[in-house]
Amino acid sequence: MPFSTTQTRFAKRLLALVVVAYAPFLAYKSAHILTCDSIYPATTSRHDHLAIGSSKMQSALSPADFMSASSLTGDFQNIAITGGVTPYGPLLLRLARNKVRGNSTHCPRVFILEYSSGLLCSKNRLAKREEDQSIHELWFQSMNPNLEYLLRPRKGEPAMAFSHPGSLENSGYERNGWFNRTRKKPIKSNLAQWHEERMTKTYDPERGEAFLTLVDELTALGDVFLVRLPTRKEVRDLGSLKNTPADSVFQLALLHPKVQFFDCHTWGDSSDFADTNHLLGKSGRRLSGEIGREVMRILQEHERATPQH
């Protein structure tokens, strides 16, 4: 039964009243958070250098240590995501485009992307598609400045706008997006079953094409480094995901002269891991320094090989 004109007018007035009544409170809470939450400024700005990938990248790549070791200039943000999803989906790729600074005075520019065939796969029991979730359910560390940032829940805790100021301050995250894991957790008791479930992923051609498009866009701005991140030995011993279609996408990306590959798959030992598949903070800092120095070595080689006019 359609609403009458009177009912529609009443509904609009009621909605306006709610908005007017709630807006000052939300504005106050938002302003309070913006001055107390040190992470928020990083989420509202664009960056010269980016790290993009899964929660493994979130722990493995410390922008501060990378920049110190590489001697690059500009600012570096780690925008890897967590939440049990396959990262190279539409929401993360949109985020990457929104976070990268189009015109930068800092050169060279570097973009670190995680090399993992599982990141180009479709939905399975362990990794939902981003399209099937609302953006706050993905629990982005860095995202666009909007109400979803202020209102999103954190692992069952109250939404930020209604919790204590600076609620991310002690979560382990740095302003630059790096997750400094300091506590060790035992390796999964059902490791073989967990690993088998991760091996059942199916390649998604749409994600593969979108990834290659992103690489093309980033190489127009700087150099792209695909990094195969460390995997704990107990997991490596169970075998690697063999996904020829997904692997071929990364190989296509590596044909570009401004795309390089680092294989850190066997880096470190079990003591470097906080849990089954994430590095401890101190290990992430060490790896970040090594990657930073190697990136600078390659960039300097390219500079020497480029004819000077």
Side-chain angles (χ1 to χ4, degrees):
M1 179 177 176
F3 290 112
S4 67
T5 302
T6 302
Q7 289 174 320
T8 302
R9 188 180 299 115
F10 174 77
K12 289 181 177 179
R13 289 178 176 174
L14 181 60
L15 177 61
L17 180 62
V18 171
V19 170
V20 169
Y22 183 65
F25 170 75
L26 181 59
Y28 167 76
K29 295 294 289 185
S30 300
H32 195 42
I33 289 171
L34 302 194
T35 58
C36 296
D37 184 358
S38 66
I39 292 175
Y40 188 81
T43 71
T44 62
S45 57
R46 293 175 181 265
H47 304 277
D48 303 297
H49 317 282
L50 295 177
I52 306 171
S54 70
S55 57
K56 288 183 69 171
M57 177 69 80
Q58 212 171 41
S59 300
L61 206 292
S62 162
D65 293 278
F66 175 92
M67 294 296 283
S68 176
S70 67
S71 300
L72 289 169
T73 59
D75 58 271
F76 194 145
Q77 183 77 5
N78 187 330
I79 61 168
I81 72 170
T82 184
V85 299
T86 46
Y88 289 135
L91 291 180
L92 179 59
L93 299 185
R94 184 186 71 187
L95 177 68
R97 291 184 175 94
N98 288 338
K99 298 295 290 182
V100 67
R101 180 172 288 133
N103 297 318
S104 174
T105 58
H106 298 279
C107 188
R109 301 180 64 184
V110 168
F111 306 102
I112 311 294
L113 276 61
E114 184 175 346
Y115 183 123
S116 173
S117 57
L119 307 190
L120 296 176
C121 292
S122 57
K123 176 181 177 180
N124 64 29
R125 196 178 75 80
L126 288 180
K128 301 177 181 179
R129 290 180 65 99
E130 290 90 326
E131 302 93 305
D132 299 330
Q133 305 182 62
S134 58
I135 195 166
H136 63 263
E137 288 178 315
L138 299 179
W139 198 40
F140 279 151
Q141 161 57 16
S142 305
M143 61 195 308
N144 302 325
N146 52 30
L147 288 181
E148 286 176 312
Y149 177 87
L150 298 172
L151 301 178
R152 78 190 193 286
R154 292 183 53 245
K155 299 276 186 175
E157 296 180 17
M160 277 190 66
F162 305 102
S163 59
H164 62 280
S167 57
L168 291 180
E169 291 288 348
N170 299 314
S171 68
Y173 283 108
E174 304 285 339
R175 279 189 57 177
N176 55 31
W178 175 55
F179 191 6
N180 179 12
R181 295 177 186 266
T182 57
R183 290 182 297 177
K184 290 183 71 73
K185 299 179 181 178
I187 195 168
K188 292 181 181 295
S189 58
N190 60 337
L191 183 63
Q193 178 184 349
W194 172 82
H195 186 265
E196 180 63 28
E197 290 172 339
R198 290 170 65 89
M199 297 298 102
T200 60
K201 297 179 180 179
T202 303
Y203 170 65
D204 184 342
E206 291 183 10
R207 289 174 186 247
E209 293 174 9
F211 175 78
L212 290 175
T213 299
L214 177 67
V215 170
D216 284 340
E217 294 173 3
L218 294 178
T219 52
L221 300 172
D223 291 87
V224 171
F225 293 85
L226 300 181
V227 180
R228 193 179 185 197
L229 294 171
T231 299
R232 190 168 179 149
K233 184 180 184 302
E234 292 90 333
V235 179
R236 296 201 309 269
D237 290 345
L238 294 174
S240 300
L241 172 62
K242 302 297 183 183
N243 195 308
T244 303
D247 287 333
S248 66
V249 171
F250 290 106
Q251 294 305 314
L252 280 174
L254 287 168
L255 294 176
H256 195 289
K258 297 186 72 175
V259 179
Q260 304 292 324
F261 173 60
F262 292 162
D263 192 351
C264 304
H265 186 53
T266 60
W267 184 92
D269 55 40
S270 296
S271 65
D272 288 303
F273 287 82
D275 52 25
T276 305
N277 59 340
H278 300 102
L279 289 178
L280 282 166
K282 61 181 181 180
S283 304
R285 295 190 64 181
R286 196 168 80 249
L287 176 63
S288 300
E290 293 181 19
I291 293 176
R293 286 186 287 274
E294 184 65 11
V295 164
M296 180 51 66
R297 183 189 66 79
I298 291 175
L299 293 176
Q300 290 174 340
E301 284 185 358
H302 288 177
E303 184 178 8
R304 288 192 293 268
T306 302
Q308 301 297 318
H309 298 289

